[in-house]
Amino acid sequence: MRYTFPIFIFLGLLSCKKEQPPMSVLNQGCDCATEVSAAFTIEEIGSIFNPEQYVTETDLVFGNKNVRFYAEENNAEYTWYIGSEIINTREVKRYFPNSLVGQTIPISLVVKKKPNLICFPNDDGYDSITNYFTVAQLSLYENYDTTFLEGAYRMKSPLLPDSVDIVIDYREYAGGMDKCWDIYNCDGQGTIIKHKIYAPLNYRQLWFGDLGASLNHLQGDVHIRMDNVVEMNFIEKAWNGSTLVISKEYKYRGRKL
């Protein structure tokens, strides 16, 4: 007796393996597409001399500082409402003086753009949003007391087996003429770095330059992000003959205590 049933199954399986038609060209690329959005960032600018280098996304700023508002949508029509002003550029920079300390300021943006109706048939190409930021404190050199960044932090580095506590302390010296940041335990071994303030300072982020370090030369930054995760990135330099070279790097993530 001949067994033909398995042959029928095998042929049936082969007949099911039909090549699927390719996705329509009109529907390709929708995974990366987005609806028209009025989302924008608010960034405190730390220095007028290097406005693109010392920039921090924030909801809190010092007085007497420049702030940048930047629309995330490209190639669109933009309408900003900032106080009594109406502006139609993608990027806006404005100066906010100490007289506004304590005020929370609304910034509104309307975006219009031809929508991608293939991926989003219900998108009308219009979006609007209002974000807020607060001028939280006087600027660094006018009746300055303390900062959001000063205090103790519990940080973790992939180079260290356990978390470490790092303290950042602000102080004045030389009769109040100079200002200094002290960083305690920056390497997890108790080392203290003392820095005069040369580099820019934003409300959520401070930078250190090479000048003023008592132990070799330290540079880097401390940043409390918008989600309150803290990042510290330090580079220690040492002299190799007449050249400063990187001797150690510390990259931390953690939280403020």
Side-chain angles (χ1 to χ4, degrees):
M1 184 175 182
R2 299 179 63 185
Y3 292 89
T4 57
F5 182 65
I7 296 175
F8 292 143
I9 294 177
F10 181 72
L11 292 175
L13 290 173
L14 286 178
S15 66
C16 291
K17 291 186 177 181
K18 296 180 180 178
E19 185 177 353
Q20 298 297 319
M23 180 181 292
S24 169
V25 174
L26 294 177
N27 293 325
Q28 289 180 356
C30 286
D31 288 344
C32 299
T34 58
E35 294 187 63
V36 174
S37 171
F40 65 92
T41 57
I42 299 174
E43 298 169 315
E44 183 177 4
I45 299 174
S47 170
I48 60 173
F49 303 105
N50 296 289
E52 302 302 322
Q53 182 176 359
Y54 301 105
V55 174
T56 307
E57 185 174 358
T58 191
D59 54 356
L60 301 161
V61 304
F62 285 118
N64 284 357
K65 294 291 285 291
N66 288 305
V67 181
R68 180 173 76 168
F69 312 102
Y70 188 75
E72 295 181 5
E73 192 75 59
N74 65 350
N75 299 322
E77 296 180 22
Y78 312 98
T79 305
W80 298 90
Y81 298 92
I82 303 175
S84 59
E85 287 189 280
I86 300 176
I87 308 107
N88 298 111
T89 55
R90 183 178 183 181
E91 175 185 271
V92 179
K93 295 179 183 177
R94 287 295 181 269
Y95 177 78
F96 294 88
N98 274 336
S99 60
L100 296 176
V101 166
Q103 295 190 33
T104 297
I105 299 171
I107 306 293
S108 297
L109 173 63
V110 175
V111 169
K112 296 179 181 180
K113 183 179 179 179
K114 183 178 180 180
N116 183 343
L117 296 178
I118 296 172
C119 298
F120 304 100
N122 295 322
D123 188 359
D124 61 1
Y126 175 97
D127 193 32
S128 63
I129 192 171
T130 299
N131 290 333
Y132 300 83
F133 74 97
T134 299
V135 184
Q137 192 170 309
L138 294 173
S139 64
L140 176 62
Y141 297 107
E142 298 185 36
N143 301 317
Y144 182 75
D145 181 17
T146 186
T147 77
F148 181 62
L149 291 160
E150 188 177 21
Y153 298 81
R154 184 147 295 162
M155 308 299 294
K156 185 70 177 68
S157 166
L159 301 179
L160 299 175
D162 298 311
S163 61
V164 298
D165 287 350
I166 297 174
V167 175
I168 296 176
D169 183 46
Y170 163 82
R171 62 185 171 88
E172 294 182 347
Y173 66 99
M177 297 297 295
D178 288 315
K179 305 175 191 303
C180 181
W181 291 104
D182 297 338
I183 305 178
Y184 296 83
N185 201 28
C186 64
D187 55 1
Q189 300 177 23
T191 299
I192 302 173
I193 296 291
K194 299 178 184 293
H195 255 283
K196 288 179 68 176
I197 297 178
Y198 292 99
L201 171 70
N202 287 340
Y203 200 88
R204 286 186 171 272
Q205 189 170 12
L206 64 91
W207 288 266
F208 298 94
D210 280 337
L211 296 174
S214 60
L215 175 68
N216 295 327
H217 294 256
L218 184 77
Q219 67 182 54
D221 71 289
V222 177
H223 182 196
I224 301 179
R225 300 185 331 197
M226 292 278 285
D227 58 4
N228 289 322
V229 172
V230 179
E231 295 180 335
M232 297 184 184
N233 299 288
F234 303 145
I235 296 175
E236 188 178 317
K237 294 184 176 182
W239 288 104
N240 182 8
S242 60
T243 305
L244 271 174
V245 297
I246 295 175
S247 58
K248 295 179 182 178
E249 292 187 62
Y250 307 96
K251 295 184 180 295
Y252 295 103
R253 284 173 64 99
R255 60 185 175 87
K256 190 174 183 182
L257 296 175

